[in-house]
C-alpha cells in the first residue's frame, strides 16, 4: 500500500502550484495544475496526496 505524501505549497503561479515535498525539501519543486488541488489552497499551506487526490491537512 502506498503511504501519503505530504507537501507544502511553496508558491502559486497562475493555473499551477509549486509543491515542496516535506520529506525531501531540497529536491526540485513539483508543479501541479491547480484544477486538481483543493480550491482553498494558499502559499504556505500543507497538503496531502493520497489515493490519487490532494487534500488540505
Amino acid at each position: 500500500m502506498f503511504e501519503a505524501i505530504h507537501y507544502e505549497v511553496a508558491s502559486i503561479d497562475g493555473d499551477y502550484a509549486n509543491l515542496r515535498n516535506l520529506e525531501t525539501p531540497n529536491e526540485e519543486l513539483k508543479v501541479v495544475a491547480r484544477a486538481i488541488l483543493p480550491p482553498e489552497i494558499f502559499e504556505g499551506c500543507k497538503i496531502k496526496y493520497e489515493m490519487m487526490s490532494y487534500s488540505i491537512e
Side-chain angles (χ1 to χ4, degrees):
M1 196 74 147
F2 294 104
E3 290 191 30
I5 302 172
H6 301 273
Y7 293 101
E8 176 184 24
V9 178
S11 62
I12 296 173
D13 185 18
D15 291 336
Y16 297 90
N18 298 298
L19 306 182
R20 177 176 294 113
N21 187 325
L22 295 176
E23 296 290 319
T24 55
N26 294 325
E27 284 188 6
E28 189 172 327
L29 299 177
K30 180 177 182 174
V31 179
V32 177
R34 290 185 64 193
I36 63 172
L37 296 171
E40 61 273 10
I41 65 164
F42 56 91
E43 290 184 8
C45 75
K46 306 289 192 282
I47 60 175
K48 171 174 70 170
Y49 178 74
E50 186 173 40
M51 298 184 66
M52 298 178 61
S53 69
Y54 292 90
S55 60
I56 291 183
E57 293 194 280

